[in-house]
Amino acid sequence: MKYRMGLTNRQVAALVVTVPLSAFFLYLLFKKQEEDDDYFPENGNKSVASGQQTIVEIKVPSRCAAAIIGRDGSNIKKIQADTGAKVNFQDRENKSEESTGYRVVKIRGKVENVMLAERLVRKCIESAPVINTVEIIIPQHYIGRIIGKSGTNIRSLCEISQAKIKIERGGNNRDPKLCKISGTDEQIAFAKSLLDEEIRKEDEIDRRNEIASQDRKPRGSKLNSPAEEINYKLDQPVKQPKSITSQEQKSRLMPLPDHSDYFAVFISAVEHPGHFWMQILGSPSKALNLDILMQSMTEYFSRPVDGESDKVSCIRIGDIVAAPFQHDDNWYRAKVVGFLDEGLVDVYYVDYGDNGSVHREQLKELRSDFLGLPHQATECCLAGVEPLNEFWSEAAIDKFEELTYCAQWKPLMAKVLSYKSTENGTLPSLELVDTNKEEVTFFYSFGYFII
């Protein structure tokens, strides 16, 4: 057939298919070239026109990138929505851009849209705050308070000041830590003032603990302050409840501070490094309150009374009673733990942690107002140590008593690291720190305990 110009049917079919496909692939090629965000000519021009589209490249100081992007990309999305242009940061192919302090923003779209978007981007650059970074050194003693449990406090400080606060990790737990604060001058100044306030609060706690240590009297000493200041009405009869449940006794135990923070303690009694008793210092100091309670009890139970009004009629194991102490003439709160020969009763002094034997007739019924103060002695153990043999040696026990100022009422700093199951029950496992000397001593996992 002449209109086929001598082509066979197969050749005609191939021509019909090939021409449209070739045209289609050419269209895709040019379309991709036009819409590709990363397309720029090799001559490095900042503005390139391609048909209806224009592409502009802007070098942005790295410190301004966050201002352009906004939180979760909110600002850069708004620029695109307001102008109709597409705005994005060029991916870093190498670290050269990071070292020069610049990043590249690419804007693509119609000429008028690109120009408007460029003006908004440059406005963000001009108005971006100057971000600085300062470094300060913070003594280790304050780090726990500043960071807080699971970092809650330091996150709060960052949120309040709008500055970025970062404390270096690792290193020796005794060494001061490097703290970096990033933000505007105003944000940095505000963050530093917040850190100073945290340090001031910690110093105030230390000062109160020191005063408590100075005011604490040896066991059995008389206080200068009258007991009436704590509102113990010794001239008025106040009866103890007839019975105290085990749950009520547990509620009278001194609550432990948060395990992630250091807190001040006295070591009041020691059996060995794996079992000893501490008194937790509070604010106001519970130590002074305890001294006043002991003096009030001594004054009350030392008075001559008519008949048998204060004697305990029925004594059971677990009862909380008033008992004298064999080494002085004072009265203390005690728990009945057993019965011995010759009418003696084995008692545990709930505010100190030691035991004693008292004649049955000497025990007195406690007034209910003498039960208000939580039991001050808390059983615990030292973290990271075990006896070399099955039992602790006398040398190890004596050394531990010396290092912890047992019953000398010098405060130590403690932190609960974990809870340990022992023959005495589940006890808080403590790290202890001696801050009474110029050189801070962390004494757990020390070799001389393993004797």
Side-chain angles (χ1 to χ4, degrees):
M1 300 174 65
K2 291 183 179 180
Y3 68 89
R4 293 186 179 178
M5 298 170 53
L7 298 176
T8 66
N9 290 339
R10 181 175 297 179
Q11 290 173 329
V12 171
L15 183 60
V16 170
V17 173
T18 303
V19 172
L21 287 177
S22 299
F24 178 73
F25 285 125
L26 284 173
Y27 168 80
L28 289 180
L29 176 62
F30 285 110
K31 181 70 174 176
K32 181 178 184 304
Q33 187 177 42
E34 184 179 74
E35 294 184 350
D36 190 352
D37 288 344
D38 294 329
Y39 171 70
F40 284 91
E42 295 182 359
N43 58 19
N45 291 337
K46 293 185 178 180
S47 179
V48 180
S50 177
Q52 294 286 330
Q53 300 290 315
T54 295
I55 302 176
V56 173
E57 179 186 66
I58 305 175
K59 291 178 71 177
V60 176
S62 297
R63 64 178 179 82
C64 302
I68 295 173
I69 296 172
R71 177 169 291 185
D72 298 326
S74 59
N75 196 43
I76 198 169
K77 291 175 183 177
K78 187 176 186 304
I79 293 174
Q80 294 182 108
D82 291 345
T83 64
K86 188 168 185 179
V87 184
N88 66 316
F89 278 88
Q90 179 180 350
D91 293 335
R92 295 189 181 111
E93 296 181 357
N94 50 57
K95 294 186 178 181
S96 60
E97 289 182 3
E98 186 175 357
S99 61
T100 59
Y102 288 93
R103 293 190 64 183
V104 177
V105 169
K106 297 177 183 179
I107 308 174
R108 182 186 63 79
K110 294 181 180 181
V111 175
E112 61 273 17
N113 296 346
V114 169
M115 292 176 62
L116 178 57
E118 183 179 1
R119 284 198 298 270
L120 294 178
V121 169
R122 294 193 183 279
K123 185 177 180 181
C124 289
I125 296 173
E126 293 171 1
S127 60
V130 177
I131 303 299
N132 296 317
T133 299
V134 299
E135 296 180 352
I136 59 175
I137 299 297
I138 300 179
Q140 174 66 38
H141 176 64
Y142 304 105
I143 297 300
R145 179 182 186 89
I146 291 173
I147 294 177
K149 182 180 180 181
S150 303
T152 53
N153 194 47
I154 195 170
R155 285 196 296 270
S156 176
L157 298 179
C158 292
E159 183 177 350
I160 294 172
S161 66
Q162 294 298 302
K164 182 181 291 185
I165 306 173
K166 186 175 183 181
I167 298 176
E168 69 173 352
R169 296 183 179 181
N172 194 314
N173 286 335
R174 310 177 193 181
D175 295 337
K177 298 297 184 183
L178 178 66
C179 175
K180 294 183 178 181
I181 310 174
S182 300
T184 64
D185 291 340
E186 293 78 9
Q187 291 168 346
I188 290 174
F190 191 17
K192 290 175 71 175
S193 70
L194 294 177
L195 291 173
D196 289 340
E197 178 65 15
E198 294 297 321
I199 291 174
R200 186 197 66 77
K201 291 178 181 178
E202 189 68 21
D203 286 339
E204 178 65 16
I205 292 175
D206 292 342
R207 185 187 69 81
R208 291 179 181 179
N209 290 340
E210 183 178 356
I211 292 174
S213 178
Q214 293 171 353
D215 290 343
R216 190 69 190 273
K217 307 298 182 183
R219 191 168 179 179
S221 299
K222 296 293 184 181
L223 297 177
N224 295 325
S225 302
E228 285 76 10
E229 292 184 4
I230 310 298
N231 295 322
Y232 290 119
K233 307 296 184 180
L234 302 184
D235 57 340
Q236 299 178 8
V238 178
K239 286 296 184 179
Q240 176 192 16
K242 292 184 178 180
S243 62
I244 302 175
T245 66
S246 59
Q247 185 63 34
E248 288 174 330
Q249 290 191 21
K250 289 181 180 179
S251 68
R252 289 187 168 90
L253 297 178
M254 189 70 175
L256 281 175
D258 190 284
H259 72 276
S260 64
D261 296 331
Y262 284 98
F263 52 95
V265 300
F266 291 143
I267 303 302
S268 58
V270 169
E271 182 182 0
H272 50 69
H275 188 213
F276 57 95
W277 288 261
M278 65 176 175
Q279 294 177 349
I280 302 171
L281 300 183
S283 177
S285 174
K286 299 300 183 186
L288 182 59
N289 290 348
L290 175 62
D291 289 336
I292 296 174
L293 171 64
M294 296 302 104
Q295 179 173 319
S296 300
M297 289 179 57
T298 299
E299 180 181 344
Y300 180 76
F301 290 112
S302 298
R303 299 184 307 176
V305 294
D306 297 330
E308 306 292 315
S309 59
D310 289 325
K311 286 189 177 182
V312 182
S313 57
C314 179
I315 303 175
R316 296 167 298 182
I317 292 178
D319 285 348
I320 304 296
V321 297
F325 187 55
Q326 59 184 340
H327 299 296
D328 59 43
D329 297 325
N330 296 295
W331 286 78
Y332 301 89
R333 301 188 298 184
K335 179 179 179 180
V336 176
V337 294
F339 298 98
L340 307 175
D341 296 335
E342 301 179 356
L344 294 176
V345 179
D346 187 10
V347 296
Y348 162 70
Y349 295 98
V350 297
D351 296 304
Y352 291 88
D354 46 5
N355 285 63
S357 56
V358 181
H359 282 284
R360 183 189 185 97
E361 292 76 13
Q362 291 180 291
L363 300 180
K364 303 288 185 180
E365 183 177 321
L366 269 178
R367 293 162 48 111
S368 60
D369 55 347
F370 290 157
L371 289 168
L373 188 69
H375 299 171
Q376 297 295 290
T378 301
E379 291 182 85
C380 44
C381 61
L382 188 66
V385 295
E386 296 289 343
L388 185 60
N389 298 311
E390 184 179 356
F391 303 102
W392 292 95
S393 68
E394 290 298 326
I397 296 172
D398 291 343
K399 189 65 177 180
F400 184 69
E401 289 183 344
E402 174 190 341
L403 290 170
T404 58
Y405 310 106
C406 180
Q408 297 179 40
W409 318 122
K410 287 188 177 182
L412 300 175
M413 299 306 295
K415 181 166 70 171
V416 179
L417 300 185
S418 62
Y419 286 84
K420 184 177 180 180
S421 179
T422 72
E423 60 182 6
N424 300 296
T426 301
L427 304 180
S429 183
L430 301 183
E431 173 189 6
L432 294 176
V433 184
D434 183 6
T435 58
N436 293 286
K437 303 175 183 177
E438 184 174 348
E439 181 179 353
V440 176
T441 303
F442 288 71
F443 49 91
Y444 73 102
S445 301
F446 270 21
Y448 42 70
F449 289 155
I450 310 175
I451 296 177

